[in-house]
Amino acid sequence: MNPTSLDPSPWIIARVLLADMFHRSWIILTLGFVGALSLPVLILGALRAKGALIVEDPAMILIHFTFAQIMGMVFGASVLHAAGAPSRLFTLPLTNRTILLIQMVPATLLVIGQTMVSIWIQNVLFKLHWPLLGNALAFGMIFATFQSFMTLFQKTALMLPTLGGALALESLWVKSRHGPIFSLPTHYWTTVSPLDWMVFATVLALCYAIGMHGIARARCGNEIQTRLLDYLSNAISNFFGKKPMVFQNAVQAQSWYEWNLKGLVFPIIVLMVVPTTAVLWLFTDNTINDLVEALRLEGWMMSAAAMIGGIIMGNMGLSDASMAMSPFLGTKPLATVPWSRLLLATAFRSLVWGVLIWVAVYLLVLGGRELAGASHMPEPFVWWHMPGRILAAWTAMTFGLCISLTGNLLHLKILGGLYCGWLVTVMLVGSLTPAWFSELFTISTLSGCGMVLFSLTLWAWGSALRRRMVEGRHAILAGMVVTALVAMAGWQWARGATPPGATRIHHLLLVSGVLSLAVFPFAAAPLALASNRAR
Amino acid sequence: MNQHILEIHDLKRSYGKKVALDGVSLSVPAGGVFGLLGGNGAGKTTVLRHTLGLLAAQSGSVRVFGLDPVADPVGTLARIGYLSENRDLPDWMRIHQLISYSQAFYPNWDPDYAESLRNLFELDPKAFVRSLSRGQRARAGLLVALAHRPDLLILDEPSSGLDPVVRRDILGAIIRTIADEGRTVLFSSHLLDEVERVADRIAILHQGRIQLCARMDQVLSGHSRVQLRFSSAVSHFPPAGIWIHSEGSGHDWSLVAEAGIENIRAEVARLQAEILSVDPMNLDDIFVARTAGKPLAAGVRA
């Protein structure tokens, strides 16, 4: 028998690894795909329902450009997760080139394919004529850049500035395909010229070279030289880390732990989103009122970031994939109720910091607007918008925290699956049925969701009361808070014309459910923590 | 006063269809070193996690210091020191931060003792946990587990992945702790020479069941390897009665007996066989005989 016949070829190994990647990560990839598609479909659906979806409108170019970026980012994140770290392949009998190609080629093709398919779905659903190829190739190129820089610089301090620089250059190029760089996009990228293909091929070749260098270095354990940055980082760390710490009690110590490990996540997300918005604004439109509008919208979008922050904050496990409470934490002699309260306090602190950053930037821009002598505000001031944003972020953050705090990844998957399932159904109903039915279906399912959330809150408080994790007076107070919030929402409706009378009851159910989440974590957090602690 | 620091009664645990613990009953007396032995997947860590209140009993009961560790985690965990098998310490902390943080949870924390352990284990207070080697992580974990002078110290595979020098450090610290203050150590291991060296009592866990629970000296003196010669050839000799393990074929057999020499002689006479030798056994052989033996059944003679 020829012994070499037993040796698998790199192609067989590559095929096995790819099959493994899809087998392991098909849920993440599916969620990424549907999640990436969700925002465009929802917004376009809403525009169509209001009769505002005009294909020829020049504003659609900006919408197309923005949606392509959002989809690229969301799906790209899930592909990165699915591809995993190249280091897992280092001990296999594969050349550096094979490892790099296994990591980069399928992932890049997936991103290109997803962008094309998603734009095609939007074209079919909303009768658009958006071009498929240009943005798809561009996001494939951007993704390959991301991967190659990650491979070369890994988690060193050099990665952010170098990758940021490269991505900025590529973004400028992509923007230039839609019109002048520092203005609104003026046309679609309908034709991919030979020059575009050349840029695309050159960037991919550079990515290949960077990636090869990174794998060759990492595979033999050589660390990248970042002496100056390491020195600065250590100096800062030593300055803060040297301070002697004395904790008065276990709650104080655990609060310090939670804040240091996870409390800064949400403020950092806000810190990252704000300059990104500014850069995007610079690339697209230079009118100050539009920046004010973007930041105002961002204030509402903080809820999404807050949910991510909450999910991270509630993870008591050893990694993202293992969320069950680690023995190190599980064996701390700290009672469950004060522990859950300190977690909520940390979440609130984190939220306050994030909101303060946003408010500071918003006020700064408003001040700039005044200095620039802008004539009128794009939208009049509404008193409840600010508390509304904070409340929305609080409910999203603590809901994510409680789900994550159970330590069961399945709960998060079910939540994501339900959302995706609902979205796909809404898309199908929207494309197959008349507009009035589609709208009724959407609001009916949303009001059903509101009722589920309300029931969930009632169940959590009932269970917590039975287990003596909360007291009767707390339940009464929580009931009063929810009643007051619902009454305020009702009062706002009574003063305004929206929502229309026919769907008012649906809206009331939805809003009642969502508002009940404001008090949900006070009962759900100790329950979730207790179930995570003793499984 | 309850003399048992840990009492487990008819504890059952399943993960899906897999039965991890199948009616485990165990009592650990106060004072001394108790070794929990078992192969991979025997259920040792599951027992320890129940003891710590990290798992709730699906059936049966667990009492630590007379308390339910799930219902009263503070009452039990404040008196327990624990070193986990995977040494899951927070990577982002420095050693001095880890010490300050841990100190806040334990009223009995002894700062001088903690400092002496830190010196003994040669841990740099400014070092990040993430920069420690596996052995150093074990030392850091042990420092945190020991410095509040717990009534019960639980060590899950304390020697796992450690070099002999670190193993000596850990065992040395355990022995000192026990000798100094008469407290209890419960540790799981599959390194039998280590268990034999330090444990006062042992329990052998196999496929979720307790196979043996006794004092170490009783375990060692109560087992013997007996070389037998039968007058007529024997094709099959399944373990039964005092015989817990058998190897051999034809006339000559090597058996493991759990009995005193008088009982062995009586049983051999009944089998109409001749004793060639009776030898004492070490824990390693006893463990293999207990866990690798065939299921108990009636003897079949050729």
Side-chain angles (χ1 to χ4, degrees):
Chain A
M1 185 180 177
N2 179 8
T4 55
S5 66
L6 291 174
D7 297 338
S9 77
W11 290 112
I12 293 174
I13 294 175
R15 214 167 58 206
V16 168
L17 287 170
L18 286 177
D20 171 63
M21 181 183 102
F22 284 111
H23 181 71
R24 263 187 307 114
S25 308
W26 69 270
I27 293 180
I28 295 287
L29 289 171
T30 309
L31 286 178
F33 182 81
V34 180
L37 198 55
S38 65
L39 189 69
V41 168
L42 283 178
I43 291 177
L44 290 172
L47 284 175
R48 185 171 65 179
K50 289 181 184 296
L53 186 66
I54 303 159
V55 179
E56 295 77 22
D57 190 341
M60 293 302 283
I61 304 169
L62 178 61
I63 290 174
H64 163 65
F65 182 65
T66 311
F67 284 174
Q69 290 177 71
I70 291 170
M71 290 190 302
M73 279 193 279
V74 174
F75 187 68
S78 68
V79 175
L80 267 184
H81 183 274
S87 57
R88 78 191 197 287
L89 309 175
F90 285 173
T91 53
L92 293 174
L94 298 170
T95 62
N96 291 348
R97 189 178 59 185
T98 311
I99 289 176
L100 184 68
L101 293 179
I102 289 172
Q103 285 293 108
M104 284 180 68
V105 173
T108 305
L109 290 176
L110 269 176
V111 171
I112 293 173
Q114 180 269 344
T115 310
M116 292 178 79
V117 171
S118 297
I119 296 175
W120 177 78
I121 289 174
Q122 290 167 56
N123 283 346
V124 170
L125 286 180
F126 302 103
K127 299 184 174 52
L128 302 167
H129 308 289
W130 289 350
L132 305 184
L133 192 58
N135 279 318
L137 292 179
F139 286 108
M141 178 189 79
I142 287 171
F143 183 81
T145 307
F146 202 91
Q147 259 197 324
S148 61
F149 274 72
M150 292 257 291
T151 308
L152 181 62
F153 294 113
Q154 295 178 338
K155 289 178 181 172
T156 62
L158 279 174
M159 198 191 76
L160 216 55
T162 49
L163 180 63
L167 291 183
L169 286 175
E170 289 178 357
S171 303
L172 284 175
W173 179 72
V174 175
K175 181 67 197 352
S176 72
R177 303 298 89 188
H178 294 80
I181 291 173
F182 297 111
S183 71
L184 282 169
T186 53
H187 58 263
Y188 291 108
W189 186 4
T190 46
T191 312
V192 181
S193 67
L195 177 69
D196 294 337
W197 281 106
M198 218 158 71
V199 170
F200 184 63
T202 309
V203 171
L204 284 187
L206 281 171
C207 291
Y208 175 80
I210 291 169
M212 279 296 282
H213 185 64
I215 285 184
R217 182 182 52 72
R219 205 172 187 185
C220 57
N222 288 335
E223 290 183 356
I224 197 152
Q225 297 299 316
T226 55
R227 281 184 195 142
L228 179 64
L229 287 167
D230 287 347
Y231 172 79
L232 288 172
S233 152
N234 279 338
I236 293 167
S237 184
N238 281 334
F239 178 78
F240 290 106
K242 264 183 183 169
K243 211 168 69 175
M245 299 180 309
V246 180
F247 300 111
Q248 299 303 317
N249 52 48
V251 169
Q252 205 180 67
Q254 193 56 34
S255 297
W256 170 82
Y257 177 100
E258 302 292 349
W259 176 255
N260 273 278
L261 189 58
K262 297 171 282 189
L264 288 171
V265 170
F266 176 63
I268 286 173
I269 293 176
V270 177
L271 263 180
M272 285 166 68
V273 168
V274 166
T276 309
T277 308
V279 170
L280 285 175
W281 170 76
L282 198 66
F283 281 3
T284 52
D285 188 356
N286 300 315
T287 62
I288 192 83
N289 275 351
D290 281 352
L291 185 59
V292 172
E293 268 304 278
L295 283 169
R296 199 197 289 263
L297 182 68
E298 209 164 77
W300 288 111
M301 296 294 284
M302 267 196 305
S303 302
M307 183 169 252
I308 294 169
I311 288 171
I312 293 171
M313 226 178 284
N315 184 356
M316 311 295 273
L318 295 170
S319 68
D320 293 345
S322 167
M323 295 171 74
M325 186 180 270
S326 67
F328 176 78
L329 289 179
T331 52
K332 290 284 165 281
L334 180 57
T336 301
V337 173
W339 195 339
S340 64
R341 284 181 188 156
L342 77 84
L343 278 168
L344 292 178
T346 308
F348 184 72
R349 190 176 159 195
S350 179
L351 188 74
V352 167
W353 274 105
V355 169
L356 281 178
I357 291 166
W358 174 78
V359 167
V361 175
Y362 189 57
L363 290 177
L364 207 67
V365 172
L366 279 183
R369 183 187 168 281
E370 286 301 314
L371 287 175
S375 55
H376 66 282
M377 282 290 281
E379 193 180 309
F381 177 79
V382 181
W383 72 269
W384 59 269
H385 276 187
M386 179 56 76
R389 286 183 182 102
I390 297 172
L391 189 67
W394 164 257
T395 53
M397 177 179 274
T398 51
F399 188 70
L401 184 144
C402 290
I403 298 290
S404 171
L405 202 53
T406 60
N408 195 337
L409 199 58
L410 187 65
H411 293 158
L412 281 175
K413 287 181 179 171
I414 289 173
L415 201 66
L418 284 174
Y419 172 70
C420 289
W422 172 78
L423 197 71
V424 169
T425 313
V426 165
M427 279 161 54
L428 287 174
V429 170
S431 59
L432 298 174
T433 61
W436 68 268
F437 182 80
S438 166
E439 195 178 349
L440 184 65
F441 177 81
T442 306
I443 190 62
S444 298
T445 50
L446 282 174
S447 64
C449 174
M451 288 167 71
V452 169
L453 292 177
F454 199 85
S455 307
L456 194 66
T457 306
L458 281 179
W459 168 83
W461 275 91
S463 298
L465 273 169
R466 266 199 313 280
R467 296 180 63 173
R468 297 175 190 278
M469 290 171 161
V470 290
E471 296 172 21
R473 60 195 173 99
H474 297 145
I476 293 168
L477 185 65
M480 286 165 64
V481 167
V482 174
T483 308
L485 289 172
V486 174
M488 279 163 71
W491 179 56
Q492 277 302 311
W493 286 343
R495 293 177 66 212
T498 55
T503 58
R504 188 161 289 182
I505 185 69
H506 294 100
H507 279 88
L508 185 69
L509 288 172
L510 170 63
V511 169
S512 301
V514 172
L515 290 177
S516 72
L517 290 184
V519 298
F520 170 75
F522 298 103
L527 287 171
L529 187 62
S531 75
N532 192 353
R533 210 171 179 184
R535 304 178 79 79
Chain B
M1 185 184 160
N2 190 347
Q3 292 301 304
H4 288 108
I5 213 160
L6 167 65
E7 286 179 298
I8 297 174
H9 178 66
D10 197 22
L11 182 63
K12 292 179 180 167
R13 179 85 195 184
S14 299
Y15 299 106
K17 286 181 182 172
K18 182 181 171 5
V19 178
L21 298 179
D22 188 10
V24 167
S25 294
L26 192 67
S27 294
V28 176
V33 183
F34 192 102
L36 194 57
L37 277 69
N40 295 328
K44 304 185 295 292
T45 298
T46 306
V47 168
L48 296 185
R49 288 176 75 88
H50 277 92
T51 306
L52 291 158
L54 298 176
L55 290 174
Q58 289 172 340
S59 168
S61 66
V62 178
R63 292 289 178 272
V64 185
F65 312 116
L67 304 169
D68 179 350
V70 173
D72 188 359
V74 178
T76 51
L77 292 173
R79 298 171 65 187
I80 295 177
Y82 173 60
L83 177 69
S84 72
E85 183 182 8
N86 55 9
R87 331 287 191 228
D88 63 321
L89 301 173
D91 283 339
W92 55 276
M93 280 191 200
R94 292 169 188 271
I95 291 295
H96 76 87
Q97 289 174 324
L98 178 67
I99 292 172
S100 301
Y101 166 76
S102 303
Q103 181 175 358
F105 289 87
Y106 302 100
N108 294 333
W109 186 273
D110 184 340
D112 296 332
Y113 185 40
E115 185 59 19
S116 67
L117 285 171
R118 192 188 62 69
N119 286 325
L120 175 72
F121 293 153
E122 297 172 340
L123 292 168
D124 176 3
K126 283 189 285 183
F128 280 105
V129 170
R130 64 171 171 264
S131 69
L132 302 180
S133 68
R134 186 165 165 77
Q136 287 172 319
R137 284 178 84 93
R139 296 178 203 208
L142 198 61
L143 185 159
V144 171
L146 286 172
H148 61 104
R149 299 188 185 277
D151 293 325
L152 173 61
L153 179 64
I154 296 179
L155 308 171
D156 192 358
E157 300 282 2
S159 304
S160 169
L162 300 183
D163 64 56
V165 176
V166 181
R167 279 171 63 185
R168 289 283 168 181
D169 277 352
I170 288 175
L171 292 178
I174 293 168
I175 291 164
R176 269 193 298 281
T177 308
I178 298 310
D180 289 353
E181 296 168 23
R183 289 177 283 126
T184 311
V185 177
L186 167 62
F187 78 108
S188 74
S189 181
H190 57 264
L191 298 176
L192 300 170
D193 58 333
E194 173 184 295
V195 176
E196 190 171 343
R197 200 163 55 238
V198 298
D200 303 315
R201 296 179 72 89
I202 62 160
I204 294 178
L205 199 58
H206 183 56
Q207 293 178 349
R209 293 181 181 185
I210 296 286
Q211 296 286 320
L212 173 72
C213 182
R215 287 185 59 84
M216 177 64 82
D217 52 357
Q218 288 172 343
V219 171
L220 294 175
S221 63
H223 290 78
S224 307
R225 181 172 295 284
V226 183
Q227 304 292 339
L228 284 188
R229 176 163 293 158
F230 290 97
S231 51
S232 54
V234 174
S235 64
H236 190 49
F237 193 96
I242 67 166
W243 312 112
I244 59 170
H245 185 71
S246 62
E247 286 172 17
S249 61
H251 292 276
D252 293 334
W253 283 78
S254 174
L255 306 176
V256 174
E258 185 185 13
I261 188 66
E262 294 307 319
N263 284 344
I264 292 171
R265 283 194 181 123
E267 187 62 21
V268 170
R270 195 183 68 76
L271 293 171
Q272 298 174 354
E274 175 194 357
I275 295 177
L276 299 179
S277 66
V278 178
D279 300 309
M281 295 175 73
N282 61 23
L283 189 57
D284 198 85
D285 293 335
I286 294 169
F287 179 81
V288 170
R290 282 278 174 182
T291 59
K294 293 166 188 168
L296 294 177
V300 180
R301 294 289 304 274

